[in-house]
Amino acid sequence: MSNTHDTTPAVRSQHGAHTTPDETRAAEVAAQAGRWLAFATERSRMRPDTLLAKALTSATFSALHRASSLAVPSKLAGTSKHQRALWDLVRDPAEPWAELRLGVTAETITASLGDEALGGIQSKHLGWVRPLVPFGLTVHLARVTGSETGGYTLGANVAFGHVGEALDRILDALGDGSSVSGDGAASAEPEPPSSPLRLVVRPEADVLRPGYDPDDVVLYRRIDGTAHASVPHAPRHSPTGIEWGYCGSGPADLARSVLLALTDEPTAERLYQAFKADVVARVPRAGGVLRAADVRVWVAAQTTPAA
């Protein structure tokens, strides 16, 4: 986020009218707010009117603070456990909009400044925040709230940064952005076996690296906890669906489905049980990404005779 005044000359739109950089940025942020509203509506239990108000507030907040893309203001939860760190920030304030380090687990996302935890992301936001973290979403400290005298519980206002950019990246990974209609509203989401990727979760929270391989297999859970993958389910042992994190029928089907997508059928049939034990059973419950290159290396190791 920047407070520097933009002196870039106005540019002419396709209709001949002059458009200032601020107007162009505001239009981009407004469009991102619409896409965020649809994305969050599909992945949050918040009321529709609450989400709409948040989208409008976020667009205004982003324009006011001259954010490079949509930013969403919020506050941290569970700050009562981290009062010492917050009082330290009252006495010695952090740099403006200091970026917080995120600790992502299957249940929570904690936010820390350096090595000091300040609180956690509110549970009502986890459904839409979690999938955007791997695609560049950040969290920044806005200010410590509460009385500046002892004896009061302090809180922390934050802003989710680069939300618009992260959302653009994940929709690009989805392929056609079909989960968002042209007017920014959530659309019906069909579930054929070969449906495109809809939600990405990486427990390690690593930013999407350059050279992303579209063959990478993404394992994710919807807000109700059901397991899904970005490859078609080839049912054999578990007609009700795939799973991972243990050895069983659901993981067996996932292993076979992954190998069928990345190798030939004879190879998949021969190796899927071993792949289940070596790889699928070790995937964290929250999900993750099986790199296509790594899967192929694993397959090659099984078919190459030992020296």
Side-chain angles (χ1 to χ4, degrees), residues 35-105:
R35 292 194 290 274
W36 174 87
L37 178 60
F39 188 82
T41 297
E42 294 176 347
R43 294 161 176 85
S44 172
R45 294 190 177 95
M46 285 187 284
R47 290 164 49 93
D49 56 341
T50 301
L51 284 168
L52 177 59
K54 175 61 77 172
L56 295 173
T57 300
S58 299
T60 303
F61 176 89
S62 304
L64 178 64
H65 292 282
R66 305 178 66 83
S68 60
S69 76
L70 180 70
V72 179
S74 185
K75 60 183 179 181
L76 296 182
T79 55
S80 60
K81 300 177 182 178
H82 307 288
Q83 291 297 291
R84 182 185 61 79
L86 291 171
W87 279 111
D88 287 346
L89 288 173
V90 170
R91 291 185 286 268
D92 184 17
E95 292 293 320
W97 302 110
E99 183 174 346
L100 303 181
R101 181 173 56 84
L102 299 181
V104 183
T105 69

Side-chain angles (χ1 to χ4, degrees), residues 238-297:
S238 176
T240 58
I242 60 167
E243 261 297 349
W244 56 77
Y246 63 95
C247 286
S249 59
D253 267 16
L254 174 59
R256 182 168 174 267
S257 300
V258 169
L259 294 183
L260 283 171
L262 299 180
T263 67
D264 55 82
E265 185 173 355
T267 300
E269 295 294 352
R270 181 167 55 89
L271 296 178
Y272 78 89
Q273 290 288 2
F275 186 71
K276 175 190 72 175
D278 284 358
V279 179
V280 174
R282 301 182 184 185
V283 175
R285 185 184 183 282
V289 175
L290 300 178
R291 300 291 184 191
D294 293 339
V295 173
R296 291 176 178 128
V297 167

Side-chain angles (χ1 to χ4, degrees), residues 157-291:
N157 285 357
V158 298
F160 298 108
H162 304 287
V163 174
E165 295 168 358
L167 189 56
D168 289 343
R169 292 189 188 106
I170 195 173
L171 292 179
D172 183 62
L174 296 177
D176 58 4
S178 58
S179 62
V180 182
S181 63
D183 61 359
S187 60
E189 193 170 337
E191 289 292 343
S194 59
S195 62
L197 164 64
R198 303 251 180 227
L199 176 61
V200 178
V201 177
R202 295 187 200 174
E204 301 83 359
D206 58 332
V207 175
L208 182 66
R209 68 182 185 183
Y212 176 75
D213 187 342
D215 286 341
D216 289 350
V217 179
V218 183
L219 310 178
Y220 59 99
R221 293 187 185 276
R222 296 195 183 279
I223 196 168
D224 62 0
T226 57
H228 291 265
S230 58
V231 294
H233 175 207
R236 171 173 291 177
H237 303 280
S238 176
T240 58
I242 60 167
E243 261 297 349
W244 56 77
Y246 63 95
C247 286
S249 59
D253 267 16
L254 174 59
R256 182 168 174 267
S257 300
V258 169
L259 294 183
L260 283 171
L262 299 180
T263 67
D264 55 82
E265 185 173 355
T267 300
E269 295 294 352
R270 181 167 55 89
L271 296 178
Y272 78 89
Q273 290 288 2
F275 186 71
K276 175 190 72 175
D278 284 358
V279 179
V280 174
R282 301 182 184 185
V283 175
R285 185 184 183 282
V289 175
L290 300 178
R291 300 291 184 191

Side-chain angles (χ1 to χ4, degrees), residues 109-163:
I109 301 178
T110 58
S112 304
L113 184 61
D115 295 329
E116 293 287 348
L118 303 181
I121 305 305
Q122 293 177 298
S123 59
K124 66 182 180 180
H125 292 305
L126 286 176
W128 70 266
V129 168
R130 189 187 297 279
L132 293 184
V133 171
F135 290 89
L137 176 142
T138 55
V139 179
H140 302 264
L141 179 64
R143 66 187 181 93
V144 176
T145 61
S147 173
E148 294 188 0
T149 60
Y152 290 86
T153 301
L154 300 179
N157 285 357
V158 298
F160 298 108
H162 304 287
V163 174

